Amino acid sequence: MGASRGQLVIMAPLSGVLVDLESVPDPVFAQKLVGDGVSIDPTSDVLLAPVAGTITQLHKSHHALTITTAQGVEVLLHLGVDTVTLKGEGFTALVHVGDAVSVGQALVRFDMDFVARNARSLLTQVVVANVDKVSRFVPATGLVEAGQSVVLTLELADTEPSLESVSQDLVLGDPVVLPSPAGLHARPAAVLAAQAKQFQSDIRLVLGTQEANAKSLVAIMGLGTAHGDVLHVKAQGVDAAEAVRCVSAMLAQGCGEEAGQVPTPLMPVLESAAPMLASTGKTLGAGTASVLAGVSASPGLVVGQIVQWRAPSVEVVEQGGTVDQELAKLEAALAQAHQQIDALKSTFKDAAQVNILAVHQALLEDPDLLEQAIQVISQQKSAAFAWQSAFINHAERLENLQGSSNALLRERGKDIRDVGRRVLGLLAGVERRQATLPEQAIVMAEDLSPSDIAGVDRSKLLGFCTVSGGATSHAAILARSFGIPAICGVDQAALSLAPGTTVVLDGDQGLLYTQPSAQVLSQARQRIAEQADLRAQEKRGAQAPASTTDGQAIDVVANVRNLQETQEGVAHGAQGVGLLRSEFLFDDRASAPDENEQAAAYMAIAQALGPQRSLVVRTLDVGGDKPLSYLPIPPEANPFLGMRGIRVSLDQPEMLRTQLRAILRAAPLVHMHIMFPMVALVEELRQAKAILAEEQKALGQPHVRVGMMLEVPSAAVMAEQFAREVDFFSIGTNDLTQYTLAMDRGHPKLAKLADGFHPSVLKMIAMTCAGARQHGKWVGVCGGMASDRMAVPVLMGLGVRELSVSVPAIAAIKAWVRSLSLATCQALAQEVLQMSTSAEVRARLASFAEGLSPMQACDENKE
């Protein structure tokens, strides 16, 4: 480590008994992943500074902080184990980031009884984070007294770098072509920043002549990246090489961004276009002049009363108190904002909704945003003034980006404003109010933030219409997830409409009827009533089996991610789970879940289904566009043709064995099926089955059904051979489409051509079903086509006998199946297999679907 350049004595921050760091019941500390030091079993309740220095980090929960000494040694103090889950309850910080502290100064007061009852341990860690500064650690033992006893003596290393070592410290990575379909917008930028924060080194993203702090969500988004941009990662520090490798790999893998998550902006409807209802092709009346056209942000048709919404104004005072006072105000407001967003998240069920607010919470901790606010506060400005200038500056950077490829980033500027206004209101003492809505409200606004949508009484909100924003805004994404019809980008005239005015909002076409005639109102209400009747009839029949009119049973099951979605699926009529995405246990964490944690989750889901239903658990499906931060995969020229699915699991056999044991423990509770993803070769399948057989023998679970995802052409062509090896196939139509057509489903120009209705894809499905039939095996579809009403008849006609669909679609798909004849579907399937284009197939299937209206189907089924 170099020659010693002196000593640093670390005093006891608490009274108590010294404990070896290896004994701490937390592998992160016990394995010294954070650094080296000692632990104290405390008997006092005020944490004192063990060294003199500057507070360079204070966790928002106040259970951990870092002091950096004059020699550059970073001393981390961590009160208790798993105390972060207490979210600050029981802890009172007595210092702030930037404070200079002396030895023995009080830092944090904590409630020992409360923490002892609610945390895993009271053991408090005193750790040197940058161990390269130290050549030798000499820990003390026994009892210590706070502020009086030495707990650790450090012999400091000579770490003054030579010019040569400085140049060697700067590591520049290879160029990475950005695969993210919409560039580094909020979600992938948040994933990347979280990965970068795992390293001590300074890490920068380089795009041409621009650079950005890789640990800053706002800075990353501010680069204005687009699909196909070439980026470099550079780093300088103790772990620079590893940082460059891991961050480059994360970039190359798309930072967890799936193409389907990014909505394609919709083109505005011209005012001269005939107002149509997309679902029926019927006009809403002739000669209607009072129509405002915008962009369809969320589909649906509603008739309601206008409510005009205006955001409250906030008065900001420029001059503030002392720097310490204003920093304390900002810290308190940020913490309160975080808690408010936590409360909103707890009301959501859908992952997309939760993820949007998680991005907002990440913005509250963004280093660039906070650094600018702190700099302004240091100039004797108020916390409110400093915060306002910082968030407006960062929002404008994104909103001023030019070019169509940056549309998503311009929308993310609105997210920064939303978060910024939330904190600003707390600093200024202005209560964030929600609109008080009457029944059947249609909200008109210049703009609506995700917070506005999330906090409103959705039982009264029929729809909304905004002047700004678009289909890619987070407010629009929330509207779609809640099923609220919405239009964005309408004319300013919408803001002049009188409150209480009756309007028709057609979210399918992006049209607002501001003075609807009696004919328009009558037709709209008739169509709404028809749709409501249809949904009600579907709901009444949701629990009934799905069999065709000529007696063929079709299992309609659910695609789910967790226990809650499983319970919702059962309530909606699911006959089982056709795809449990086990990734939910592995995502958003620092290490893989152990066997007990996985087993508990699988058993809970199995119990929710019961022994009469089936459960198909897909083993871990990562790689390609779905990375894990703790399972780095080296950058690949084409990750979709590299380490994905079963290949990753076979490369990590212990992780696979752990997961298989956990699944097998739940097998007695349900009809258990284990499914391996992305299988291309028989050898891969056999290797995975051999591992499963060993674990089955060890646990005494001799029989579970074993299947595979069919997602690549090689598997479809070899379906008969694969059918000898498995009990079932489940077709992933999304990947099968992109691999069959050799078109990236996220490609900005090709994605619209990557159509699962192309005859080549349908022939792959037909080959799969034919191969399975030769050995009496069943075939399901768990991809997006299973939830598509137009696709269902042809899938059934080709031989598919299980449809695994999204939970909201279960009742509708079951009702549609009950209206169909298998013989008719088989004839239809043979007809479309002879066609040449997806357009021809779609036209034929659309005419078939229109031949029997949903209402007629329900009526005939009742009889």
Side-chain angles (χ1 to χ4, degrees), residues 344 347-348 357 434 449-458 478 482:
L344 281 177
T347 67
F348 289 171
L357 293 183
Q434 298 296 341
S449 70
S451 296
D452 295 327
I453 302 298
V456 79
D457 183 352
R458 292 188 292 277
L478 279 179
F482 287 130

Side-chain angles (χ1 to χ4, degrees), residues 34 130 163 196 206:
V34 176
N130 49 348
L163 291 176
V206 182

Side-chain angles (χ1 to χ4, degrees), residues 325-538:
Q325 289 171 337
E326 298 305 315
L327 285 173
K329 290 178 184 177
L330 177 59
E331 183 179 348
L334 291 169
Q336 189 175 350
H338 203 285
Q339 292 170 356
Q340 288 180 350
I341 297 174
D342 261 340
L344 281 177
K345 284 168 63 178
S346 68
T347 67
F348 289 171
K349 298 178 181 179
D350 185 82
Q353 300 164 357
V354 174
N355 288 342
I356 288 171
L357 293 183
V359 168
H360 283 203
Q361 288 181 316
L363 288 169
L364 293 172
E365 302 169 359
D366 189 90
D368 278 15
L369 193 59
L370 296 177
E371 181 181 355
Q372 182 173 336
I374 292 170
Q375 286 177 349
V376 176
I377 288 175
S378 69
Q379 301 167 12
Q380 306 299 317
K381 305 297 185 182
S382 71
F385 180 85
W387 176 254
Q388 184 182 55
S389 64
F391 83 74
I392 288 177
N393 175 267
H394 281 74
E396 288 178 346
R397 281 170 52 192
L398 296 183
E399 291 166 349
N400 291 333
L401 291 171
Q402 300 301 310
S404 59
S405 63
N406 286 318
L408 275 175
L409 293 178
R410 290 195 292 273
E411 292 290 356
R412 296 300 80 84
K414 293 181 172 61
D415 291 313
I416 295 176
R417 290 186 184 274
D418 184 14
V419 173
R421 286 193 291 263
R422 178 181 294 279
V423 177
L424 188 64
L426 293 169
L427 287 168
V430 176
E431 184 177 354
R432 190 184 182 97
R433 64 182 179 88
Q434 298 296 341
T436 302
L437 301 182
E439 298 294 331
Q440 300 182 329
I442 295 178
V443 171
M444 301 286 161
E446 173 70 36
D447 192 17
L448 286 173
S449 70
S451 296
D452 295 327
I453 302 298
V456 79
D457 183 352
R458 292 188 292 277
S459 68
K460 297 179 179 179
L461 178 64
L462 291 185
F464 69 78
C465 184
T466 63
V467 170
S468 63
T472 59
S473 70
H474 273 163
I477 294 170
L478 279 179
R480 289 192 289 273
S481 69
F482 287 130
I484 301 171
I487 301 172
C488 296
V490 299
D491 190 90
Q492 286 276 349
L495 302 181
S496 301
L497 297 172
T501 301
T502 297
V503 295
V504 177
L505 188 153
D506 182 358
D508 296 304
Q509 296 295 317
L511 299 172
L512 180 71
Y513 296 79
T514 60
Q515 296 177 22
S517 65
Q519 181 184 4
V520 167
L521 286 172
S522 174
Q523 291 184 1
R525 286 174 172 144
Q526 179 182 351
R527 182 59 189 165
I528 292 168
E530 289 175 354
Q531 291 290 337
D533 287 345
L534 176 59
R535 298 288 87 81
Q537 291 184 34
E538 291 171 349

Side-chain angles (χ1 to χ4, degrees), residues 264-281:
T264 303
L266 303 177
M267 294 300 294
V269 179
L270 298 176
E271 288 194 37
S272 59
M276 304 284 286
L277 280 174
S279 57
T280 64

Side-chain angles (χ1 to χ4, degrees), residues 762-825:
L762 298 180
K763 287 183 179 181
M764 289 290 172
I765 297 173
M767 292 170 66
T768 302
C769 294
R773 273 195 300 271
Q774 292 186 50
H775 297 278
K777 308 299 171 63
W778 60 266
V779 178
V781 171
C782 60
M785 288 180 73
S787 301
D788 189 327
R789 182 175 180 272
M790 196 161 66
V792 167
V794 72
L795 292 177
M796 291 167 48
L798 291 173
V800 171
R801 295 296 176 261
E802 180 189 85
L803 300 169
S804 192
V805 305
S806 61
V807 170
I810 292 169
I813 294 298
K814 291 180 81 172
W816 182 226
V817 168
R818 289 193 289 263
S819 74
L820 300 170
S821 154
L822 180 62
T824 302
C825 292

Side-chain angles (χ1 to χ4, degrees), residues 478-820:
L478 279 179
R480 289 192 289 273
S481 69
F482 287 130
I484 301 171
I487 301 172
C488 296
V490 299
D491 190 90
Q492 286 276 349
L495 302 181
S496 301
L497 297 172
T501 301
T502 297
V503 295
V504 177
L505 188 153
D506 182 358
D508 296 304
Q509 296 295 317
L511 299 172
L512 180 71
Y513 296 79
T514 60
Q515 296 177 22
S517 65
Q519 181 184 4
V520 167
L521 286 172
S522 174
Q523 291 184 1
R525 286 174 172 144
Q526 179 182 351
R527 182 59 189 165
I528 292 168
E530 289 175 354
Q531 291 290 337
D533 287 345
L534 176 59
R535 298 288 87 81
Q537 291 184 34
E538 291 171 349
K539 187 175 181 180
R540 286 194 294 271
Q543 299 300 328
S547 295
T548 63
T549 58
D550 46 1
Q552 175 62 55
I554 301 293
D555 290 329
V556 180
V557 292
N559 291 338
V560 302
R561 285 171 290 196
N562 49 39
L563 173 61
Q564 180 177 304
E565 291 186 6
T566 302
Q567 294 168 332
E568 291 172 355
V570 171
H572 280 73
Q575 295 165 269
V577 164
L579 172 62
L580 172 62
R581 298 181 175 96
S582 64
E583 296 79 50
F584 82 97
L585 285 166
F586 294 79
D587 291 337
D588 300 324
R589 56 191 300 153
S591 60
D594 62 22
E595 180 182 331
N596 288 334
E597 181 182 351
Q598 291 190 61
Y602 301 139
M603 286 191 285
I605 290 169
Q607 288 171 338
L609 291 169
Q612 75 280 13
R613 294 189 179 91
S614 61
L615 169 60
V616 179
V617 182
R618 182 178 67 188
T619 59
L620 182 62
D621 186 16
V622 295
D625 58 349
K626 294 177 283 189
L628 292 177
S629 61
Y630 54 86
L631 188 63
I633 298 172
E636 299 175 295
N638 190 336
F640 286 96
L641 299 180
M643 295 297 288
R644 288 196 69 188
I646 195 172
R647 297 169 189 170
V648 175
S649 293
L650 294 176
D651 190 56
Q652 302 285 332
E654 286 308 312
M655 184 180 291
L656 175 60
R657 288 181 182 275
T658 299
Q659 182 173 29
L660 292 175
R661 288 195 300 270
I663 296 171
L664 290 170
R665 287 167 60 180
L669 304 173
V670 73
H671 291 307
M672 181 64 77
H673 299 63
I674 295 176
M675 180 166 67
F676 297 110
M678 197 57 66
V679 178
L681 306 174
V682 171
E683 299 95 304
E684 294 172 333
L685 178 63
R686 287 175 176 169
Q687 189 177 348
K689 285 176 60 183
I691 293 173
L692 172 60
E694 291 174 6
E695 298 302 333
Q696 285 180 279
K697 183 177 180 180
L699 288 176
Q701 289 287 354
H703 184 69
V704 293
R705 297 194 180 278
V706 180
M708 57 179 271
M709 287 277 284
L710 200 141
E711 303 166 90
V712 296
S714 66
V717 171
M718 296 276 289
E720 188 272 328
Q721 288 88 342
F722 275 110
R724 303 171 191 168
E725 307 275 343
V726 297
D727 296 307
F728 67 95
F729 294 127
S730 188
I731 300 174
T733 51
N734 299 341
D735 272 321
L736 181 61
T737 298
Q738 77 168 347
Y739 287 123
T740 299
L741 297 175
M743 291 180 181
D744 182 352
R745 57 186 180 177
H747 193 284
K749 293 185 178 180
L750 300 177
K752 62 183 178 182
L753 300 176
D755 189 346
F757 288 89
H758 193 278
S760 62
V761 179
L762 298 180
K763 287 183 179 181
M764 289 290 172
I765 297 173
M767 292 170 66
T768 302
C769 294
R773 273 195 300 271
Q774 292 186 50
H775 297 278
K777 308 299 171 63
W778 60 266
V779 178
V781 171
C782 60
M785 288 180 73
S787 301
D788 189 327
R789 182 175 180 272
M790 196 161 66
V792 167
V794 72
L795 292 177
M796 291 167 48
L798 291 173
V800 171
R801 295 296 176 261
E802 180 189 85
L803 300 169
S804 192
V805 305
S806 61
V807 170
I810 292 169
I813 294 298
K814 291 180 81 172
W816 182 226
V817 168
R818 289 193 289 263
S819 74
L820 300 170

Side-chain angles (χ1 to χ4, degrees), residues 10-25:
I10 298 181
M11 306 300 291
L14 294 165
S15 297
V17 180
L18 287 176
V19 176
D20 290 339
L21 204 58
E22 292 87 346
S23 302
V24 176

